Amino acid sequence: AQKVTQAQTEISVVEKEDVTLDCVYETRDTTYYLFWYKQPPSGELVFLIRRNSFDEQNEISGRYSWNFQKSTSSFNFTITASQVVDSAVYFCALSEGRNNNDMRFGAGTRLTVKP
Amino acid sequence: ETGVTQSPTHLIKTRGQQVTLRCSSQSGHNTVSWYQQALGQGPQFIFQYYREEENGRGNFPPRFSGLQFPNYSSELNVNALELDDSALYLCASSPGVQASSYEQYFGPGTRLTVT
């Protein structure tokens, strides 16, 4: 069965600090997709990134970067020079197979960035 | 381009009652997925509809049912409400079911409280 673990329940940093959100997953499939979503206080989940199981290249998008390591079943998310607007709950999710149904989410990490 | 919308925003029901939640998918999207998000937890997949047919179901009892209409909008129905059904119900739409190509776009959710 697929499973996603986000061990960090809450993280608090001061603005401009770098912060890494951890995600560990379990799956028996060789084809799967990993995602990160941001959930601001408004409640709407915002898509950040999708990564497939065959592409272990790290990705950088502005202040955001993602480190995918199949050897440790991890897909960690780093925010560089954090800003107050980054405060939200961040979810890591896993979708097995080729369809995007039955996406499994972790419990989320609440990030608070203080000015 | 109009995003995913859900109605109502908030709802209070009594145990044993029935409820219908509605979702309008983003223009051009033929796939709708429903999730239940209990307080402090990640979203849990309920089911997905693709071109008016159910395309996958999570671990939810039959009293959770759904519909998708020809315009691809969708309803989630819950019968015999229980206190544990209190949660944020999220709807997500996508242009198709392939995880490799289509991310899900989430609506703001409906907050259901069962008393």
Side-chain angles (χ1 to χ4, degrees), chain A residues 5-104:
Chain A
T5 302
Q6 294 180 257
Q8 304 150 308
T9 305
E10 295 191 34
I11 299 176
S12 181
V13 299
V14 176
E15 206 169 20
K16 297 184 183 178
E17 282 186 19
D18 298 347
V19 58
T20 295
L21 310 182
D22 297 333
C23 172
V24 175
Y25 63 92
E26 293 178 33
T27 178
R28 293 178 182 176
D29 269 20
T30 56
T31 300
Y32 55 89
Y33 295 85
L34 295 164
F35 303 80
W36 276 95
Y37 280 86
K38 174 182 180 179
Q39 187 174 43
S42 61
E44 191 168 331
L45 285 162
V46 178
F47 168 80
L48 296 177
I49 189 172
R50 172 186 56 234
R51 173 66 68 210
N52 74 56
S53 54
F54 301 108
D55 183 2
E56 284 193 74
Q57 282 191 350
N58 293 329
E59 183 159 338
I60 298 174
S61 176
R63 297 184 298 107
Y64 296 169
S65 62
W66 292 269
N67 185 337
F68 176 30
Q69 292 194 342
K70 289 179 73 171
S71 60
T72 55
S73 297
S74 65
F75 186 43
N76 297 337
F77 172 32
T78 297
I79 302 175
T80 303
S82 60
Q83 299 176 1
V84 173
V85 292
D86 295 328
S87 297
V89 181
Y90 290 85
F91 292 97
C92 179
L94 167 68
S95 182
E96 287 181 333
R98 302 194 181 278
N99 288 342
N100 62 10
N101 56 5
D102 198 10
M103 184 181 295
R104 301 296 179 96

Side-chain angles (χ1 to χ4, degrees), chain B residues 7-51:
Chain B
S7 62
T9 306
H10 295 89
L11 202 53
I12 299 175
K13 288 287 190 178
T14 303
R15 190 171 48 184
Q17 285 187 318
Q18 178 265 344
V19 69
T20 297
L21 309 183
R22 295 178 175 83
C23 171
S24 291
S25 57
Q26 191 164 317
S27 176
H29 289 190
N30 56 21
T31 305
V32 171
S33 300
W34 286 92
Y35 295 82
Q36 180 195 67
Q37 186 179 15
L39 199 60
Q41 297 182 24
Q44 279 195 294
F45 175 72
I46 303 175
F47 43 58
Q48 182 183 78
Y49 279 85
Y50 171 60
R51 294 183 175 178

